[in-house]
Amino acid sequence: MKKLLLIPTLLCVLMLNVKCSSSDDNSSTNPTAVINTATSGTWRITSFVDSGNDETNHFTNYNFTFATGNVLTATNGPNTYTGSWSVTSDDSGDDNPSGDVDFNILFASPADFADLTEDWHIVSYSATTISLNHVSGGNGGTDTLVFTKN
């Protein structure tokens, strides 16, 4: 009988460990660590899917710099666009009941860059990749954005 109880108990413990280690749960993400990662070099967009449409090609050959003072610059040689960025703790509970950390991007123009303007949810980040997503309020679709370090 004890063996029969041990198996469900072990399964419950294993399931709890899997849930706690999920890469989608960024409630413990440290904003300072994300900021330090973003400001450590230049980045390129390796994936941008907007409402199911792959629009990565709109950012080909652009290098993105996340500078101090919340200045975001995108440059591809002759063209330079300036926006702003920040990483903030969001306790409003809109995306995650326990709060989360948002990667905020703002470009006023041109239109392709304005499409990046969102309060992105940090899916994961490392020294070489920042993966973000945003659930649209209008149609409930999920947009995804991935920066890869140059």
Side-chain angles (χ1 to χ4, degrees), residues 3 9 14 22-23 32 44 49 63 100 113 125 129 137 146-147:
K3 288 181 182 178
T9 303
L14 180 62
S22 170
S23 64
T32 302
R44 65 187 181 284
V49 178
N63 290 313
D100 65 344
F113 285 80
Y125 72 98
T129 306
V146 177
F147 287 96

Side-chain angles (χ1 to χ4, degrees), residues 10 16 27-29 44 53-54 60 69 79-81 90 94 101-102 110 112 118 131-132 137 144 146 150:
L10 288 174
L16 286 173
S27 60
S28 64
T29 300
R44 65 187 181 284
N53 299 313
D54 186 346
T60 301
N79 300 312
T80 298
Y81 302 111
D90 176 14
D94 57 351
V101 176
D102 289 333
D112 289 339
E118 291 294 352
S131 297
L132 311 168
T144 60
V146 177
N150 288 322

Side-chain angles (χ1 to χ4, degrees), residues 14 18 20 24 33 53 55 60-61 70 79 92 102 105 108 110 114 121 126 145 148:
L14 180 62
V18 169
C20 291
D24 289 344
N53 299 313
E55 298 182 8
T60 301
N61 298 321
N70 301 97
N79 300 312
S92 66
D102 289 333
I105 296 174
H121 175 78
S126 69
L145 176 62
T148 302

Side-chain angles (χ1 to χ4, degrees), residues 95-133:
D95 296 326
N96 182 346
S98 63
D100 65 344
V101 176
D102 289 333
F103 197 104
N104 308 293
I105 296 174
L106 174 67
F107 277 102
S109 64
D112 289 339
F113 285 80
D115 286 346
L116 299 175
T117 298
E118 291 294 352
D119 56 335
W120 296 92
H121 175 78
I122 301 169
V123 175
S124 64
Y125 72 98
S126 69
T128 58
T129 306
I130 302 171
S131 297
L132 311 168
N133 73 18

Side-chain angles (χ1 to χ4, degrees), residues 4-24:
L4 289 176
L5 289 174
L6 182 61
I7 292 171
T9 303
L10 288 174
L11 286 174
C12 287
V13 169
L14 180 62
M15 289 174 62
L16 286 173
N17 283 339
V18 169
K19 175 64 179 154
C20 291
S21 64
S22 170
S23 64
D24 289 344

